[in-house]
Amino acid sequence: MTQDKILCDIGFIGLGVMGKNLVLNLADNGYNIAAFDLSAEKVQGVIEQDKKENTTGLPRVYGCSSYTELLAQLKAPHLIVLSVPAGSPVDQVCESLIGAGVQPDDIVIDTGNSLWVDTVAREQKYKNNFLLFSSAVSGGEVGARFGPSLMPSGSPYAWTRVKPIWEAISAKVDANTGKPIERTKPGQVITEGEPCATYIGPAGAGHYVKMVHNGIEYADMQIICEAYHILKSGLGLSSDEIADIFEKWNSGLLDSYLMEISVEVLRHKSVDTGTTLIDLILDKAGQKGTGLWTAMSSLEVGCPAPTIAQAVYARSISSFKELRVKASTILSGPGEVSLSNQEKQDYIVQLHDAIYCAKMCAYAQGFQLMKLAAKEHGWTLDFASIAKIWRAGCIIRATFLQSIVQAYARDENLDNLLLDSFFAEQLNARQSNWRKAICGATMFGIPNGALSSALSYYDSIRSEMLPANLLQGQRDFFGAHTFERLDKADGKKYHVEWSTAERKTVVVE
Ligand code: 6PG
């Protein structure tokens, strides 16, 4: 399958949707690619696609039919990009490359959604065989083709080689406005603007940050889905009416890629039936695991991320379709709530504010999680830079990210985004509407776990006192787990002898 012997700049393994589009993006940016996939059809597919799109008159993509052929087709030291599913496929490819003669100074970049601890382990495991570098990619098919957001991490030496390539193929942002610079056509290359690719840290850090990106993505999506559900089943609006509302919101504070695509999905009419597609889509959500990993990590690190966790639960509960159908005939909800037109209009404004506030909380949870995880794992994460590379190319891209960049520029050590003056001001101005929106959704009987978990998070964060005093009392009562006292020195532990008649308080050393 190999064409004339031209040594390529980059070897590429895995030509699925993301892989194929990354190859074409690399080719547009002037790199020759040796491409391999276990499926010869996929190899042929990318070559055909390149032929259609290539206007340079020079070959850019060389198909390979084995790992050995791929290595032979590359300039040394080899630079090899993997775009294969997370988990054992990554190891299978690594082992195959070793079998094919990959060298210790070759760089292998894992661009999949690998679990960050696997990346840390792999860097060690393969260190005598090759240099494993990782770079999570966000942006889906279109992002991969015309500019993704890239979260590279691992050996700083490897980064010096990867950096110019990554900066070339990534999405770009106008430094003054913080808005994406559009690139939509094959062959088009953007050289100005700030690249959405920044070195994140040592092995695992980039995949961790991408995992949290996906956790936030889950929350963001669920918040929009709850708003759709409330507008549809609470206010009785049609999909087109909801699309109109979302479209309007998308031109203001809620401007985001996820809002934009929701409008498209809501408006789409199925070609075969001519009816609204959204009403034909089975309401059972899939998940590949990154949201779950984020929620699990938040529990391990001890960082509250209830809106992200709630978004994972919402997907789980959606999968119990049969149970829900059955329960819908057994369990009652509130009676019908009818609103006047004016009340509906007012409610829509309240819902807008609820989405905005919940979104701020979801991002606050994700960023705080990264901060605490960084401390635990000894990473130095630059949160302004992370927010910068999420302004374009990735799935959670939104104008809103610019406010996060500014918040971390004001204070790089910010403990929680909600403490930033801009975020506090936005929340203070809208929290009353947020509460009304949740009261309304609850009275309609529409589940609103993401919106309301965010409100609970907000109310917890702003509570000087929480009922953990009673909880500590309970723990001390049944398990002598001790408690500290507000009126005594920090760190001193007390216990009440609950089982004695005197119930004396004793100091526990
Ligand atoms: C991205 C996406 C991407 C992908 C996830 C979706 O940033 O480009 O997050 O990584 O779409 O696989 O995951 P779920 O299947 O779990 O929704």
Side-chain angles (χ1 to χ4, degrees), residues 456-476:
S456 245
Y457 173 82
Y458 171 79
D459 280 336
S460 298
I461 293 274
R462 61 171 202 87
S463 289
E464 191 188 336
M465 274 299 286
L466 285 170
N469 49 353
L470 175 56
L471 199 126
Q472 286 296 79
Q474 293 164 334
R475 291 179 69 242
D476 189 58

Side-chain angles (χ1 to χ4, degrees), residues 159-233:
W159 176 235
T160 57
R161 267 197 80 192
V162 176
K163 189 175 183 224
I165 307 170
W166 253 220
E167 290 188 344
I169 66 165
S170 68
K172 308 286 183 310
V173 166
D174 181 311
N176 298 321
T177 62
K179 301 251 186 223
I181 302 172
E182 292 296 329
R183 175 180 159 214
T184 49
K185 285 194 284 291
Q188 192 186 6
V189 166
I190 307 280
T191 49
E192 78 270 29
E194 291 182 346
C196 291
T198 195
Y199 180 73
I200 303 287
H207 272 132
Y208 192 91
V209 166
K210 173 62 180 13
M211 177 193 81
V212 175
H213 163 284
N214 280 26
I216 295 172
E217 172 185 303
Y218 271 51
D220 218 338
M221 292 168 85
Q222 180 60 23
I223 289 166
I224 296 173
C225 291
E226 287 177 10
Y228 156 71
H229 194 182
I230 295 167
L231 292 171
K232 178 184 152 104
S233 305

Side-chain angles (χ1 to χ4, degrees), residues 106-314:
D106 290 346
I107 297 170
V108 176
I109 312 171
D110 173 16
T111 65
N113 270 337
S114 291
L115 182 57
W116 72 276
V117 281
D118 289 351
T119 302
V120 175
R122 280 189 193 115
E123 193 198 45
Q124 281 306 308
K125 181 177 172 189
Y126 298 116
K127 68 174 184 222
N128 295 326
N129 305 106
F130 57 83
L131 200 51
L132 181 87
F133 192 69
S134 71
S135 177
V137 176
S138 178
E141 188 175 354
V142 176
R145 180 66 186 91
F146 297 117
S149 172
L150 299 165
M151 288 150 261
S153 71
S155 141
Y157 157 73
W159 176 235
T160 57
R161 267 197 80 192
V162 176
K163 189 175 183 224
I165 307 170
W166 253 220
E167 290 188 344
I169 66 165
S170 68
K172 308 286 183 310
V173 166
D174 181 311
N176 298 321
T177 62
K179 301 251 186 223
I181 302 172
E182 292 296 329
R183 175 180 159 214
T184 49
K185 285 194 284 291
Q188 192 186 6
V189 166
I190 307 280
T191 49
E192 78 270 29
E194 291 182 346
C196 291
T198 195
Y199 180 73
I200 303 287
H207 272 132
Y208 192 91
V209 166
K210 173 62 180 13
M211 177 193 81
V212 175
H213 163 284
N214 280 26
I216 295 172
E217 172 185 303
Y218 271 51
D220 218 338
M221 292 168 85
Q222 180 60 23
I223 289 166
I224 296 173
C225 291
E226 287 177 10
Y228 156 71
H229 194 182
I230 295 167
L231 292 171
K232 178 184 152 104
S233 305
L235 297 197
L237 303 186
S238 70
S239 299
D240 280 332
E241 286 170 323
I242 299 169
D244 290 344
I245 294 170
F246 281 10
E247 194 160 21
K248 188 168 155 220
W249 287 350
N250 195 41
S251 62
L253 290 171
L254 298 180
D255 162 34
S256 72
Y257 170 71
L258 286 169
M259 191 58 95
E260 179 190 323
I261 63 167
S262 303
V263 173
E264 301 261 348
V265 174
L266 287 169
R267 288 208 196 287
H268 187 76
K269 305 285 178 280
S270 165
V271 178
D272 52 346
T273 62
T275 57
T276 310
L277 175 74
I278 190 75
D279 296 323
L280 302 173
I281 300 181
L282 177 65
D283 54 328
K284 277 167 93 167
Q287 51 180 316
K288 294 209 185 86
T290 45
L292 169 69
W293 296 344
T294 314
M296 281 166 61
S297 178
S298 77
L299 290 168
E300 277 162 10
V301 170
C303 177
T307 312
I308 293 171
Q310 186 54 45
V312 181
Y313 281 132

Side-chain angles (χ1 to χ4, degrees), residues 339-355:
L339 299 183
S340 69
N341 270 344
Q342 186 54 51
E343 284 168 332
K344 282 188 183 175
Q345 291 316 312
D346 293 346
Y347 186 79
I348 291 167
V349 173
Q350 290 157 8
L351 188 59
H352 167 276
D353 287 358
I355 296 171

Side-chain angles (χ1 to χ4, degrees), residues 52-63:
K52 272 192 226 149
E53 297 184 1
N54 184 358
T55 52
T56 64
L58 300 165
R60 312 189 302 179
V61 181
Y62 295 79

